[in-house]
Structures are given as structure tokens and as C-alpha cells.
């Protein structure tokens, strides 16, 4: 199946020509799209009778009374209202998908941790059954904090659908290709792209190329937004035009189906007799979106020192504390290093924020060994970390000429909350027991003289 072939029976609105085929560009835009001509009401939201016998229904991503610049909602015109997509709920267990607060008394989260890639297995795993929670933070009941996951997908969902009432999901593929067939349209993503799936949106996940593995940041709090650029100005970093939301696409298909709902950390399934992906037209600003990380334009120092890594923030989810994020999604991609008389890699530090990193591909400059593609690391709040000895020695004695960091793309899920390891992360995932040893060979350079002992 190519990236532009749709599942059999799905009808999609005409796409925008060129690089945006099947998508509409812009972050936070107010879109309108219809898969059948005249399906979208004009000049009003709720006509007495909708065209084609459709039902009008609003999907609200914020409270009705949220400030206008933050208010998010989408009007959907669908074959059946959502109340027809649910029946009696049956509680099911998802052992590996955990929610905060999840503090296992047998597990400690105090330390510096790093994992090799979670390996694939022969087990048939869907988007839901293949989710493996690594850390949790905050409290899903009060809608603050987050969880980080690794997903393993080896088969498509077939007449199976899912939505989370708890969270929006930020998806970061590392291997393989996925298709998200959502109520509002179809999104295909591959490594070096990301997708955001809003809270409450129903979708089915198909495996286009597998097995697939990647990372998920589950955001319990306020929605992801673009960071304020401050004195950087209007351009660079992540630009709004590079985000893409799907055009309308719908299925009118009768088939025994299941809808799994994540609600307050619990999972329930309901059984219906049709596809819930039946939105023929929609308009609004609450929609799924994809973004190509290769369009992220980094900014940095061009003389000496280097700014905090916050300049690499792609998306941020605010907290109630100004300037302190519930979650920051930070990207470390290829870039030029030109600073004079400067230690160029990330410095040693302790941070009030908790940092979970993942490697999409290549080599991370502060940890040239051990942090492999598909791997993860966790440096919890106020726990010291920084370059290993090899990276320190290389940067300290390098001839400081302009150089390009190539073959590198890593990211960070950073949060104001401590991240707690799950039992899976501590006992089943491939934890590197010797990670802490990477700092053992750092030398004492102090000798009482201003020059210090900088012999190699």
C-alpha cells in the first residue's frame, strides 16, 4: 500500500496539490473540508437538517468559555452521532500501558538510567496491545503530567478502534511506517516525522511498513502548542506552515467492530456494528496534525558559549507556572557548531525538570557510545548528568573550527514533574546496568594553579 492509497471503501476529500496532497498546511488553523460536495454547512454550524442526512456534532478540545485564542473545537458532520459508536462498556486489562500516579514500591526512580532499544518479538501486536509504558509523571485524574511509552506494532488494527479520553498523544516513529485512519482524515507517518492525536479523537492504526517501533509522549495536561520565540522573532524553529492536518475522509461500512477507550487510566471496550470513522465533512481547529522534523530550523550561538537547550523546543504544553512546562518536546538534529573558545557539547548540570531522551537515528554528541537508535535515557529532576568522558575529552582538546554535527536526531520529553519508572522499564526493558560507569574515568584536573592540569 502506498502512502496515498486509502483503505478500501474510504472516501477522501480532494487533496491539495503538490507536497500537501491529502493535507492542509498550518498549525492551529481553522480548517474546513468536505469529502462530498455540499456536505459542509455554510454560514452556520447546526442547521435543522444537514445535507446528505448527516448529523451535526461538536468535538470540544477546550472548555466552552476558554479564551478565544485558546478555544479549540471542531464541528463534525457524520453519518451517525458518536452515541451510536458506544454501547455497554466492558473493563479490560492493559498490563503494559500504565498511567500516573504509578509508583511501584519495588522500583526506584532515583538514578541515571539508559536503555537499549526495546526488542521486537514474534507476538502479534497492535497500536494498543503493543504500547509499553516506561515512565509516568503527575496525575491522570487531575489532568497534569505525562507518561512516556515505547510502541511495538506488528499488525494492523482490523475493525478495531481506539481513543484516549485522558490525553493527547505525541507520536515519534523510530522504525517502520504507520497510518492513522482518524475520524477527521488519514495521516501517514514515518521516522523523522511526528504526529499529534488529540484527546477524544477516534482512530484505527494500520501498519504500512513493519515491524514498527517508536516513542509516545502521553500528555495529560494542556495541549501542545508552539513555544514563544521571544527575541528570536517570527521565523525559524518550527514554523506553522510546515504542520499538516488531513482533509476529510470517511467510511460508510457495516462490520462488527470494537472501540477501546482509555479513561482515567482504565481501559474499556465496547462492541458496535459499524465503522465509527464516518465524518463526511468538518470545520474547526481541533484536529490531528503531522510534522516533518527535517523542516525544524535550529538556532544557536555564532560567537561564544551556547544557549540553553530550550532553544531546540519544537512543542510545549504549558503548566500553571509561567515559563515552566508540563511537557517540552525538544529536538537535537543536524546543525553547525561554530562557537569560539567554548565547550560545545551540553554541559554538566542538575535540572529542576526531568529529562527523558530518545534516539531516532545516528549518534548523540554528548554520549557517542551506548545511546543507540531506538534507545532511551532518563535523568530525573535534580540528578546530575552530562557528557561521558570520551565526549568531554574530545570537546576539550578539539581544534575549534566550524564543524557540522551530522547523522544525528535525538529528542527529549522534558517535564516539571519527577518521572517514575514502571515495572516494565525497571525489570523487563533492556536497562544498561553499567550506564553510570560512563563518568568513572573523568579525571581530577584541579592542581592548585590557575592553569589547571589539562594534560591529555
Amino acid at each position: 500500500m502506498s502512502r496515498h492509497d486509502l483503505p478500501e471503501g474510504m472516501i477522501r476529500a480532494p487533496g491539495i496539490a503538490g507536497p500537501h496532497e491529502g493535507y492542509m498546511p498550518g498549525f492551529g488553523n481553522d480548517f474546513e473540508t468536505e469529502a462530498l460536495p455540499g456536505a459542509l454547512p455554510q454560514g452556520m454550524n447546526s442547521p435543522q437538517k444537514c445535507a446528505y442526512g448527516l448529523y451535526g456534532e461538536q468535538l470540544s478540545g477546550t472548555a466552552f468559555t476558554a479564551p478565544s485564542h485558546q478555544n479549540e473545537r471542531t464541528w463534525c458532520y457524520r453519518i451517525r452521532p458518536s452515541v451510536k459508536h458506544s454501547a455497554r462498556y466492558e473493563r479490560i486489562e492493559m498490563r503494559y500501558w500504565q498511567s500516573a500516579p504509578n509508583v511501584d514500591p519495588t522500583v526506584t526512580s532515583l538514578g541515571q538510567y539508559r536503555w537499549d532499544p526495546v526488542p521486537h518479538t514474534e507476538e502479534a501486536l497492535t497500536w494498543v496491545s503493543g504500547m509499553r509504558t516506561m515512565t509516568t509523571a503527575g496525575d491522570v485524574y487531575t489532568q497534569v503530567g505525562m507518561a512516556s511509552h515505547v510502541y511495538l506494532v506488528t499488525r494492523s488494527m482490523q475493525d478495531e478502534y481506539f481513543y484516549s479520553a485522558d490525553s493527547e498523544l505525541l507520536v515519534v516513529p523510530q522504525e517502520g511506517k504507520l497510518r492513522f485512519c482518524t475520524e477527521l482524515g488519514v495521516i501517514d507517518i514515518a521516522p523523522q516525522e511526528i504526529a499529534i492525536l488529540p484527546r477524544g479523537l477516534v482512530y484505527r492504526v494500520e501498519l504500512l511498513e513493519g515491524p514498527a517501533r517508536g516513542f509516545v509522549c502521553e500528555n495529560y495536561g494542556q495541549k501542545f502548542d508552539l513555544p514563544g520565540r521571544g527575541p528570536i522573532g517570527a521565523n525559524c524553529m518550527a514554523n506553522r506552515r510546515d504542520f499538516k492536518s488531513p482533509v476529510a475522509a470517511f467510511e460508510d461500512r457495516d462490520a462488527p467492530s470494537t472501540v477501546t477507550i482509555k479513561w482515567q487510566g482504565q481501559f474499556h471496550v465496547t462492541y458496535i456494528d459499524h465503522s465509527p470513522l464516518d465524518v463526511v465533512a468538518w470545520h474547526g481547529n481541533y484536529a490531528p496534525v503531522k510534522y516533518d522534523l527535517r523542516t525544524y530550523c535550529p538556532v544557536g550561538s555564532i560567537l561564544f558559549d551556547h544557549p540553553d537547550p530550550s532553544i531546540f523546543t519544537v512543542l510545549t504544553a504549558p503548566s500553571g507556572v509561567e515559563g515552566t512546562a508540563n511537557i517540552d518536546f525538544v529536538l537535537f538534529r543536524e546543525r553547525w557548531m561554530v562557537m569560539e573558545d567554548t565547550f560545545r557539547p551540553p554541559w554538566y548540570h542538575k535540572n529542576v525538570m526531568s529529562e527523558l531522551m530518545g534516539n531516532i537515528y545516528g549518534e548523540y554528541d554528548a554520549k557517542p557510545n551506548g545511546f543507540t537508535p531506538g534507545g532511551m535515557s532518563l535523568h530525573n529532576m535534580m540528578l546530575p548528568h552530562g557528557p561521558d568522558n570520551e565526549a568531554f575529552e574530545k570537546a576539550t582538546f578539539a581544534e575549534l573550527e566550524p564543524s557540522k554535527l551530522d547523522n544525528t536526531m535525538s529528542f527529549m520529553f522534558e517535564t516539571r514533574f519527577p518521572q517514575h519508572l514502571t515495572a516494565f522499564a525497571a525489570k523487563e526493558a533492556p536497562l544498561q546496568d553499567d550506564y553510570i560507569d560512563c563518568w568513572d574515568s573523568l579525571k581530577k584536573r584541579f592542581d592548585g594553579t590557575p592553569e589547571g592540569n589539562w594534560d591529555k
Side-chain angles (χ1 to χ4, degrees), residues 57-61 72-76 184 282-287:
E57 177 178 293
Q58 184 173 246
L59 175 61
S60 297
E72 297 196 355
R73 60 86 180 96
T74 288
W75 273 93
C76 305
L184 302 184
W282 61 270
H283 77 86
N285 60 355
Y286 190 67

Side-chain angles (χ1 to χ4, degrees), residues 92-302:
I92 59 174
E93 293 299 322
M94 287 291 169
R95 175 189 167 199
Y96 288 110
W97 193 333
Q98 301 292 318
S99 296
N102 177 42
V103 183
D104 188 325
T106 67
V107 170
T108 179
S109 301
L110 179 62
Q112 296 90 347
Y113 299 95
R114 190 166 67 188
W115 294 265
D116 290 324
V118 176
H120 294 290
T121 69
E122 297 300 318
E123 187 178 357
L125 298 173
T126 67
W127 172 256
V128 179
S129 64
M131 201 68 70
R132 302 289 184 262
T133 305
M134 300 294 290
T135 67
T136 63
D139 188 345
V140 73
Y141 303 115
T142 55
Q143 298 185 352
V144 294
M146 58 159 284
S148 65
H149 315 279
V150 172
Y151 68 80
L152 304 172
V153 178
T154 58
R155 78 164 179 89
S156 297
M157 298 169 72
Q158 299 174 343
D159 300 320
E160 303 160 89
Y161 305 88
F162 173 78
Y163 76 90
S164 173
D166 289 343
S167 52
E168 67 174 344
L169 301 181
L170 169 62
V171 184
V172 186
Q174 186 268 323
E175 186 177 68
K177 299 178 181 179
L178 296 178
R179 164 168 290 161
F180 293 89
C181 299
T182 82
E183 294 179 282
L184 302 184
V186 177
I187 285 181
D188 293 346
I189 59 170
Q192 302 182 63
E193 297 178 313
I194 60 172
I196 301 176
L197 304 167
R199 186 192 307 255
L201 183 76
V202 177
Y203 56 89
R204 176 184 70 237
V205 183
E206 298 179 352
L207 182 64
L208 296 184
E209 183 180 297
R213 178 176 57 212
F215 312 92
V216 173
C217 182
E218 184 176 4
N219 176 19
Y220 306 144
Q222 296 184 56
K223 288 181 75 280
F224 279 111
D225 199 353
L226 298 184
R229 293 189 180 98
I232 294 171
N235 304 295
C236 292
M237 301 174 71
N239 292 305
R240 291 182 180 273
R241 68 186 293 257
D242 296 318
F243 290 80
K244 302 176 185 178
S245 290
V247 297
F250 74 94
E251 295 176 336
D252 182 13
R253 187 166 56 85
D254 295 330
S257 304
T258 62
V259 180
T260 300
I261 303 124
K262 182 177 186 290
W263 192 87
Q264 294 288 276
Q266 301 175 0
F267 290 83
H268 296 79
V269 65
T270 187
Y271 300 90
I272 58 177
D273 61 3
H274 58 274
S275 168
L277 308 183
D278 61 359
V279 176
V280 179
W282 61 270
H283 77 86
N285 60 355
Y286 190 67
V289 66
K290 66 177 288 186
Y291 175 72
D292 189 332
L293 296 172
R294 290 162 292 193
T295 65
Y296 184 83
C297 182
V299 296
S301 172
I302 56 172

Side-chain angles (χ1 to χ4, degrees), residues 343 345 363 365 368 389-400:
F343 183 77
E363 181 180 289
D365 62 326
N389 185 63
E390 180 183 345
F392 178 84
E393 296 274 343
K394 181 179 178 181
T396 299
F397 297 104
E399 293 292 332
L400 291 185

